Amino acid sequence: MFVLLQQADPLRCVTFPRPGYACVSSSNKLNLSMCTSAVYLWTRVYEIQSKSHPKPSCGYPPSQWCRSLEIAIECGVQKQCMELNATRPDPVVPPVEISLYYESLCPGCRAFLTEHLFPTWILLKDIMNVNLVPFGNAKELPEENSFSCQHGEPECYANMVEACVLYSASHAAFPVIYCMESSANVLKSAKPCLQLYAPFVKWGTIESCTRGELGHSLMHQNGVKTQALKPAHTHVPWITFNGEYTSEWEDKAMSTLFHLVCRLYKGIMPPVCTGALKKLDRSFC
């Protein structure tokens, strides 16, 4: 919808997405000439755009237009698809591997995951992979067959829920965990977040995982990964890039992760890597 407001006279000219226009005045002083001029101008713009960007008359949805050369030609978008393919990452160049060692209820971890990592992944998922390891400063208690967590038993359970989500939901796991970590209550949001972003996984599957040997095994594996870090982690969130940790990379990740991923990628930099830099607050546990 297009709306033109004139400050001198409360006249509104409104055009609608399909043919048909209306001039509305809130003061009963309808300046028909001005409104007609605005409508005519918008009509011309619409006609020019329609001619320069014709809608493809093919039987494929937009998501499939660039699937093959034949479809692109049939839908009249061959040039656009060629330009799109030219900007895609080189499949030979490996993506940037980011591993986040974290705790599900740590405020600093939640802030980094929701405010930095997930938004960056949404924009740069073609050139980066994310590995999530929920364990952090927890300790395994073999004699009790359990775990002790920095933020208590609820965090141990939330860590295990997220480990089970990562195991069961595969490609949909990160959005589920983002949904959980960005909510007011991580545990209460787990089931609705799973139903929203990974409906193919039943909540009963996650519950069975947390109550059985699988959940315990997943947490043990996360503990082994965390304890094997070199240098050893001293806080969380702890972030590694391509398996390596440096304090310099950590500082940049906490402030300009988007820019850092673009810089570390060894292939042709994608167009999206022209994003602005913004420093956010950071905290550790």
Side-chain angles (χ1 to χ4, degrees):
M1 182 177 290
F2 173 76
V3 180
L4 177 64
L5 298 178
Q6 184 190 19
Q7 294 181 350
D9 188 323
L11 173 69
R12 293 181 297 164
C13 295
V14 185
T15 70
F16 297 92
R18 51 188 176 182
Y21 304 89
C23 296
V24 184
S25 174
S26 58
S27 65
N28 294 324
K29 297 179 181 179
L30 184 61
N31 189 330
L32 186 58
S33 177
M34 290 184 61
C35 193
T36 301
S37 298
V39 168
Y40 172 78
L41 176 60
W42 178 249
T43 303
R44 291 296 299 151
V45 171
Y46 179 83
E47 290 175 351
I48 293 173
Q49 289 181 339
S50 296
K51 291 179 180 179
S52 60
H53 301 284
K55 294 182 179 179
S57 56
C58 62
Y60 297 92
S63 60
Q64 301 295 316
W65 288 349
C66 296
R67 192 179 68 180
S68 70
L69 178 60
E70 291 76 12
I71 295 177
I73 293 175
E74 181 179 343
C75 296
V77 291
Q78 182 180 359
K79 178 182 177 182
Q80 290 84 346
C81 289
M82 291 177 65
E83 292 174 349
L84 176 63
N85 288 331
T87 61
R88 284 179 175 168
D90 186 345
V92 178
V93 180
V96 179
E97 294 283 342
I98 300 180
S99 295
L100 173 64
Y101 298 81
Y102 72 105
E103 298 170 351
S104 57
L105 300 187
C106 164
C109 297
R110 296 178 66 182
F112 176 76
L113 191 151
T114 59
E115 297 175 15
H116 297 261
L117 186 58
F118 187 78
T120 300
W121 176 74
I122 288 293
L123 294 172
L124 299 176
K125 61 176 66 175
D126 286 341
I127 65 169
M128 65 181 283
N129 288 333
V130 173
N131 304 301
L132 299 178
V133 186
F135 192 86
N137 297 324
K139 299 183 184 302
E140 187 170 5
L141 308 175
E143 66 281 0
E144 300 178 15
N145 196 34
S146 63
F147 300 89
S148 173
C149 298
Q150 184 174 2
H151 299 91
E153 182 59 29
E155 181 171 75
C156 282
Y157 181 62
N159 285 347
M160 189 172 293
V161 167
E162 294 189 358
C164 290
V165 167
L166 288 164
Y167 177 83
S168 303
S170 185
H171 65 280
F174 197 9
V176 174
I177 292 177
Y178 165 78
C179 177
M180 293 173 59
E181 295 293 340
S182 60
S183 67
N185 189 305
V186 174
L187 283 173
K188 286 185 178 180
S189 66
K191 183 177 180 179
C193 286
L194 183 74
Q195 293 172 335
L196 178 62
Y197 290 104
F200 55 90
V201 179
K202 303 298 182 183
W203 177 245
T205 301
I206 303 300
E207 287 186 314
S208 297
C209 175
T210 60
R211 295 171 182 169
E213 287 298 320
L214 177 57
H216 190 279
S217 175
L218 293 173
M219 286 302 298
H220 170 74
Q221 293 173 30
N222 286 346
V224 171
K225 292 178 184 177
T226 303
Q227 295 304 317
L229 285 169
K230 293 183 180 180
H233 84 285
T234 58
H235 53 264
V236 288
W238 187 267
I239 312 110
T240 66
F241 293 85
N242 299 322
E244 298 182 17
Y245 167 87
T246 70
S247 58
E248 177 186 358
W249 284 350
E250 179 180 77
D251 288 340
K252 292 183 182 300
M254 291 294 178
S255 57
T256 57
L257 177 62
F258 181 96
H259 179 67
L260 177 60
V261 173
C262 289
R263 185 169 65 85
L264 292 177
Y265 181 61
K266 301 302 182 182
I268 299 175
M269 189 175 295
V272 72
C273 279
T274 56
L277 309 182
K278 181 180 180 182
K279 185 176 179 63
L280 301 180
D281 294 334
R282 58 184 293 187
S283 61
F284 298 116
C285 288

